[in-house]
Structures are given as C-alpha cells and as structure tokens.
Amino acid sequence: MANYTIEVFMGDALNAGNANTVFINLIGTKDSSEPQILGHSAEMLCCSKTLTVSCKESLRPFFLVQLELKALELEDHWFCSKVIVTDPEGRQRLFPCYQWLSPKKKTILREATAKLSHKDTEEMAVGHRLEDVAKKCEDFIWSVYDSEIPHIVQVDSASGLPYEVRFSFTKEKEFQHSQLNTSLDLKLNNFHPTNTWNSMEELEDVQWNTPWTHEYIKKHWMTDTFFGYQFLNGSNPMMIKRCSKLPNNFPVTNDMVKSALPKESSLEKEMEKGNIFLCDYARLDGIVGNVIDGIQQYLAAPLCLLFSNPQGKLLPIAIQLKQKPEAQNPIFLPTDSKHDWLLAKLFVRNAEFNEHELNFHLLRTHLLAEVFTMATLRALPSVHPLFKLLFPHIRYTLQINIMARKQLTSAEGIFSTSCAIGLKGMITLMRRATASLTYSSLCLPDNIKERGLENIPHYYYRDDGLKLWNIIHKFVNGVVAHYYTDRHVQEDSELQTWLTEIVEHGFLKNDNSGIPKSFHTVAELVKFVTMLIFTVSAQHAAVNNGQYPFGYYPEELFVEAVPLQKMEQFRQDLKALEGEIEARNKNLELPYDYLNPKNVANSVDL
C-alpha cells in the first residue's frame, strides 16, 4: 500500500465555507484512491484540513487531485486555495486551485510545475491539458458587440461568469462600500441628477472625496500653463505629438503666433528645433452630438498647436475648432479676448474627454485587456508558464468590463444619457479608433519615438513609463527565457493559437496594425508579453489610476526557483522606482504620481 498525506487549504476568502460536503481523491495513471470525505466546507473556513489516503501502488510519476462538492440542501460554492500532497517518499507537491468550486462539476488540479506542451509526455498529462482548454473554451465564448470594435465575452451579467474570474468577496465589498459612501455624500449635499449649476462655487457644494490636487486645479484650471501641462501629465498623455510641418487644414501663420514665441524666432524655426507640438482630434470630425433633455449637444474636432518655451513650459498658441479651414472656422489665439480663448480651450478639453475615455481608456486598456483575458483563458492550459505569468494580470477584468458596459456604454448608460457624444457617436469614434490601433502605439518606447517626444521636458508619463516598461521587460524576459528557446516558441501551438485569438478578436485581422501574426523568437514573445502587462497595469493606471499593488502575486502558481526569484527581483525593482519617483515629486509643484508602482494595479479591475 502507498499512503499519501493530503492537506487542503481554504485560504482567507470570506464567505468561502458552506454546508456542502467536500470529497477528495488522487487519480494516477495506473491506480487511484477512493474518494474521501474531507468534511463540510464550513468547518474549514480560513484554515486547512489534513487526511491520509491509500492506494494499492505508487501513483508515480504523474497524478491529479480531484475535488468534488456534493450539495446537501442548497447549492452553495466553496473556495479552495491549494492542496499539498506528500507522497510515500516524503516529497511534497503543490496543487494550486485558487478558485470557487461548484457542486455542479468536479475540479481537477495539476501539480504546480509549469510545463510547455513538449514537456508533457504522460498520456494522462496530455489529456488533462487538452480537457482544460476545451472546458475553458466552453465557459468563455466570444461575442460581437460591434463588428468593427474588439470582441467581448458572451455574458450579459457578472453572475453569468464562472466563479473563478468573478470578484473576490473583499473586492465586491470594496465596490459596495465606495458606492454607499458616494450615495451618502450626494444625499447629504442635496444632489439630484436633474440639478443645474450657475457657478463653480455651486458645483463645489456637491463634490465629494476631492483629491489632494483639487485646490491646485481650482486655482489654475483657466491658465495656459496648466492647460498645456495636462497634455503631458494629465489623465491622457497620449494625444500630443511633435509637429515638424503644419497640416494643410491648419493654416497658422507666423504673424498669428509671433507674440507667443521668443524674439527673433519664428514658427518655422521653432518647428525645426522640435519645440512645436500638435493635438489633432480628427477622429471626432463629422460626429453629430447627442440630444439630452431635448437640447441638442455639439462636438468639436479641434486642432491645437502648442509651444514648449525656453522655460520648459508647454503653452497653447493656436486652436481651430473644426477640421476644415473656412471663414466660419477661425483660428483662436491667446491674444483674443479672455473668454473667447477660454471657450476655445474648453472645446479642446471636451474633445480630449471623448478621446481619453473612449479611445485611450476604454478601447486601449479595458477592451484590449478583455481580449487578452479571453485569449489566455481559452488558449492556454493552466499548467502553461504563460498562463501562470499572466493570470494575476487578467484578474477581475471580465467582471469590471461587464459592469462598465451596463453602466456606461449601454443604451441606458452614462454616455447615452449624459454625454454630448451620445451612444451613436460613441460607436463611431470607437470604430475609427479601432481602425487606427497599431502594435507600435501600445509599445511605449516605440510610441514615444513615433510621436517625437523623446526630448520634450517635464514629460513625467514618459520618464516613469519607460522605467516601468524596462522593469517589466526585464522580469518577463527572465521568466520566459527560462522556459523557451526560439525553436520552442515556433513549435508551441498553444502559444500561436493564443496570439491568433488576440489578432482575430482584438485587432480584427487588420493588416495595417503591425500586430505580429506569429512568434518566431523569444525576443518577439518577450516584447509582446511586456506590452500586454504594461497595457493592463501601468497604461491603465496612467489613464485611470488603479487599486491593487503592482507586482503582487498572492497565488502560488509557480514552484520553480527561477520564476520565483524573478518575481522577487521584480518587486525589488518596483520598490526602487517607487522611491525614485517620490524623491522627484518632492521638488514638483504638482507631483506626478500616476505611475508610482504603489498606485499601479496588476490588472484592469476598476
């Protein structure tokens, strides 16, 4: 007889226990143990339970752990974090679980060692690998929200998601707590959705949980200096690019802007020096505004020219509100009346809101994160090293996106009922943005170079972002290179399927996107995975700001020494960057903290 000691861990998930009976057994290639009653899951809350099972002969070299819930009265769910099995020779093996178990299905766990498919030689291991992917393809099905926008998961509400990708109890409570506080604050301030305000002072009466920057913004929001600063270090540092030649539809002359330039200089000279920059909102051109409460809304598709002066300040020097130059579409200048110039800047900020929220936030982080999540769940078995590496970075993404579609982008959502662009305009803008989506624009070093922003001063998004990119790249390279050679990359059919899903459902097979159609080298794979992790963590923080600490890997998904060592080095590198950013921020009038690692989330979860 061969005796195996099994220790089952609940973890610290609240509400993880229930009244169901838990059965466990070991399944080997030649023999299996009889199912053993582990006990009622409610008895094991926040602890572990140990038992011994016997087999007629050793289960070496490969075996699985099977967990099964059998409902007594109510069909409740139970959370298991991990199982540790000690074999007759005293060797311990970790079987990660970290999911909610349902009475409706059996859960099969594999030992934690990450393996590529060519390393799996046991027939049972190969079978489990295939079954794992097949089951997830049944659970996670693609759906088309719009044929010209990245595809989404086929689920109407969060309750339709498998339990393993839903919010944890603590995350759910965090959302409920935030919503309750917001609701109470609004009620205490006598807020009603139909309220209107006649001044900024009246609006302040209903503001709640104002950030520490509130007083600074209130004081400086009308200034040209703060207007320019936001293009570099505000919530959307992605629109600005260097202007070496004026667009044909933006006929700014030297006489128009000479008062904003140094003496003896000219617009042409400053463009040659690399000091002139442009924000072009052409994607908004022709979109008809929404009708809200019977009132027609209007959208601009402006062009905004900016000058980086010798003092390192970025200042607006010309604004045109529509794309076609004509008599009814003048170019506004800082020398115009105070209110004309301010109104022109407000139209730019309104256009900026639409590009920021719908293109750079929703499309380029949330929707791409959903594509990355779906592809990872559908194409990679849980034993694949890339699945283990990416899982912390796809946590909760599906649920937050389902909630966003209901609350923000549905026919009853905020963009339809309360935003000038409206639902139809939103779809049009997102179609145009998807068509312009490129691989290089998602890779920060390439993006900075393409936009000509290598040398513009005080661009802290660039400075902090590139350092984060390099830290992520170093970490990813260390893990990926441990498992792959170039030949293994080329021969990994699971990996190539994963990429194909991303290309087809995220980039819609757009040949102009520059997205790779296959991987041939470790370097190509490392860059792509770096882009993915950067997009769902750092980039999302830059345009939204997150909640969960970057580099936090609570699940024990890896057991090998190399990836564990790389994770620890990753955390140390992030901590060092955190100190560097905080030291710099002490000397800034308006600190840039969005990409401080302590403020960067692991995944798109908010």
Side-chain angles (χ1 to χ4, degrees):
M1 297 290 288
N3 295 324
Y4 291 80
T5 302
I6 304 175
E7 188 172 11
V8 181
F9 293 81
M10 286 281 294
D12 57 0
L14 295 178
N15 279 6
N18 57 42
N20 293 331
T21 302
V22 182
F23 290 83
I24 188 168
N25 65 302
L26 308 182
I27 303 173
T29 53
K30 296 181 180 180
D31 193 17
S32 300
S33 69
E34 292 295 324
Q36 300 287 321
I37 296 178
L38 193 59
H40 296 308
S41 54
E43 300 170 358
M44 298 179 286
L45 185 60
C46 294
C47 64
S48 64
K49 187 163 185 178
T50 303
L51 74 160
T52 300
V53 300
S54 299
C55 301
K56 293 179 181 179
E57 56 183 290
S58 173
L59 299 178
R60 291 183 302 173
F62 181 85
F63 62 90
L64 303 168
V65 171
Q66 177 177 284
L67 291 167
E68 182 180 8
L69 255 65
K70 291 190 177 179
L72 298 179
E73 295 180 3
L74 300 176
E75 286 197 357
D76 207 347
H77 293 75
W78 172 63
F79 185 86
C80 174
S81 60
K82 62 184 177 181
V83 176
I84 294 178
V85 179
T86 305
D87 65 20
E89 291 76 30
R91 177 188 171 189
Q92 286 192 336
R93 305 187 191 207
L94 171 66
F95 292 76
C97 185
Y98 301 102
Q99 60 179 289
W100 292 89
L101 278 63
S102 165
K104 296 181 180 180
K105 65 177 183 179
K106 297 177 181 179
T107 300
I108 307 294
L109 306 179
R110 269 194 69 161
E111 194 264 334
T113 302
K115 287 188 177 181
L116 297 175
S117 58
H118 75 275
K119 292 282 189 179
D120 261 339
T121 56
E122 290 288 332
E123 183 179 352
M124 179 180 286
V126 174
H128 177 265
R129 197 177 191 103
L130 295 174
E131 290 172 8
D132 184 20
V133 170
K135 181 63 175 67
K136 287 189 290 188
C137 284
E138 292 177 2
D139 289 342
F140 301 98
I141 300 172
W142 288 106
S143 179
V144 177
Y145 177 78
D146 182 273
S147 61
E148 298 177 50
I149 294 173
H151 300 164
I152 60 176
V153 63
Q154 185 178 297
V155 174
D156 294 328
S157 65
S159 61
L161 286 171
Y163 271 83
E164 57 263 34
V165 294
R166 290 198 213 173
F167 284 168
S168 66
F169 179 85
T170 51
K171 182 69 175 176
E172 197 106 46
K173 286 301 179 186
E174 175 190 321
F175 263 83
Q176 293 172 2
H177 178 72
S178 297
Q179 290 174 339
L180 177 62
N181 281 349
T182 298
S183 177
L184 288 173
D185 283 340
L186 290 173
K187 288 180 180 178
L188 289 172
N189 287 302
N190 297 314
F191 172 79
H192 189 274
T194 60
N195 284 1
T196 59
W197 303 278
N198 298 310
S199 68
M200 293 294 290
E201 288 71 22
E202 289 183 14
L203 182 59
E204 283 209 357
D205 291 338
V206 299
Q207 290 180 335
W208 65 96
N209 295 330
T210 53
W212 64 269
T213 54
H214 174 70
E215 289 301 320
Y216 182 94
I217 294 170
K218 185 171 68 172
K219 183 178 179 181
H220 295 90
W221 73 273
M222 288 190 289
T223 67
D224 286 356
T225 302
F226 185 62
F227 180 82
Y229 172 90
Q230 291 179 82
F231 290 108
L232 297 176
N233 302 306
S235 57
N236 182 26
M238 308 304 298
M239 283 296 298
I240 188 171
K241 62 182 180 180
R242 179 181 169 183
C243 180
S244 56
K245 181 182 179 181
L246 287 174
N248 292 331
N249 63 333
F250 196 17
V252 179
T253 66
N254 190 64
D255 285 342
M256 289 179 180
V257 298
K258 63 181 180 181
S259 63
L261 304 177
K263 290 182 179 180
E264 310 302 327
S265 189
S266 67
L267 185 58
E268 291 74 17
K269 289 180 181 179
E270 294 301 330
M271 283 193 287
E272 289 177 4
K273 293 177 182 178
N275 293 330
I276 302 297
F277 298 87
L278 176 69
C279 289
D280 186 351
Y281 299 87
R283 276 185 288 260
L284 289 163
D285 189 34
I287 296 179
V288 178
N290 196 10
V291 176
I292 302 175
D293 294 332
I295 301 174
Q296 179 66 52
Q297 308 296 306
Y298 297 93
L299 298 172
L303 298 102
C304 179
L305 202 65
L306 301 112
F307 169 54
S308 181
N309 70 15
Q311 292 74 43
K313 302 291 186 182
L314 184 67
L315 302 172
I317 58 174
I319 294 173
Q320 181 178 290
L321 295 183
K322 293 186 286 187
Q323 290 288 307
K324 184 179 179 181
E326 55 188 2
Q328 299 301 314
N329 183 28
I331 294 175
F332 292 90
L333 305 168
T335 52
D336 290 337
S337 71
K338 174 183 176 181
H339 291 99
D340 282 354
W341 181 236
L342 179 60
L343 189 59
K345 290 191 293 181
L346 286 174
F347 269 105
V348 172
R349 296 308 305 170
N350 176 263
E352 177 72 18
F353 166 80
N354 290 307
E355 275 282 0
H356 165 229
E357 287 296 351
L358 296 174
N359 180 9
F360 293 102
H361 186 193
L362 178 58
L363 170 64
R364 291 170 179 259
T365 62
H366 279 263
L367 292 187
L368 285 186
E370 184 162 354
V371 170
F372 299 151
T373 299
M374 287 287 288
T376 301
L377 291 170
R378 287 172 52 85
L380 301 178
S382 56
V383 72
H384 197 289
L386 197 57
F387 181 92
K388 292 175 178 286
L389 177 63
L390 294 179
F391 188 75
H393 301 288
I394 61 176
R395 183 195 315 273
Y396 310 139
T397 295
L398 297 182
Q399 179 158 350
I400 195 64
N401 279 7
I402 291 168
M403 293 168 62
R405 280 192 281 276
K406 181 178 180 180
Q407 298 173 8
L408 300 178
T409 61
S410 68
E412 299 78 28
I414 290 175
F415 274 92
S416 179
T417 61
S418 305
C419 292
I421 195 168
L423 184 61
K424 185 177 180 180
M426 178 194 77
I427 296 296
T428 300
L429 176 58
M430 292 187 66
R431 287 174 176 173
R432 293 174 180 178
T434 301
S436 68
L437 185 63
T438 63
Y439 180 46
S440 60
S441 70
L442 300 173
C443 299
L444 186 62
D446 299 338
N447 177 258
I448 294 297
K449 185 176 181 180
E450 285 180 351
R451 291 193 285 145
L453 301 178
E454 300 97 321
N455 300 314
I456 187 171
H458 309 305
Y459 192 19
Y460 305 120
Y461 163 78
R462 172 201 60 206
D463 299 342
D464 298 350
L466 287 175
K467 291 172 184 176
L468 264 177
W469 175 279
N470 291 335
I471 289 173
I472 296 169
H473 187 275
K474 174 185 173 183
F475 167 56
V476 171
N477 185 69
V479 175
V480 170
H482 176 65
Y483 295 98
Y484 279 104
T485 64
D486 289 350
R487 181 172 65 85
H488 293 145
V489 168
Q490 296 163 20
E491 295 177 354
D492 187 350
S493 60
E494 294 166 339
L495 175 67
Q496 303 296 345
T497 299
W498 175 73
L499 176 60
T500 298
E501 292 243 328
I502 292 172
V503 172
E504 291 184 355
H505 297 282
F507 292 81
L508 309 181
K509 302 180 183 179
N510 181 1
D511 292 333
N512 297 320
S513 69
I515 194 78
K517 303 295 176 60
S518 60
F519 294 125
H520 299 92
T521 67
V522 171
E524 290 174 352
L525 175 58
V526 167
K527 180 178 180 178
F528 192 91
V529 175
T530 300
M531 176 278 295
L532 188 159
I533 294 177
F534 184 87
T535 296
V536 303
S537 58
Q539 185 60 27
H540 183 249
V543 298
N544 178 83
N545 218 347
Q547 298 295 312
Y548 281 105
F550 194 32
Y552 176 59
Y553 296 98
E555 296 94 348
E556 298 174 68
L557 299 180
F558 285 103
V559 292
E560 302 94 309
V562 170
L564 293 177
Q565 185 270 326
K566 298 301 180 184
M567 285 181 184
E568 179 57 33
Q569 184 61 55
F570 185 39
R571 283 188 283 267
Q572 292 177 16
D573 290 344
L574 292 172
K575 191 67 177 177
L577 179 57
E578 178 184 324
E580 185 179 331
I581 290 173
E582 291 181 351
R584 178 204 64 202
N585 282 347
K586 290 179 180 179
N587 299 314
L588 298 180
E589 182 181 14
L590 186 60
Y592 184 76
D593 214 30
Y594 292 151
L595 291 182
N596 186 327
K598 71 179 183 181
N599 296 327
V600 175
N602 253 343
S603 62
V604 174
D605 56 17
L606 188 65

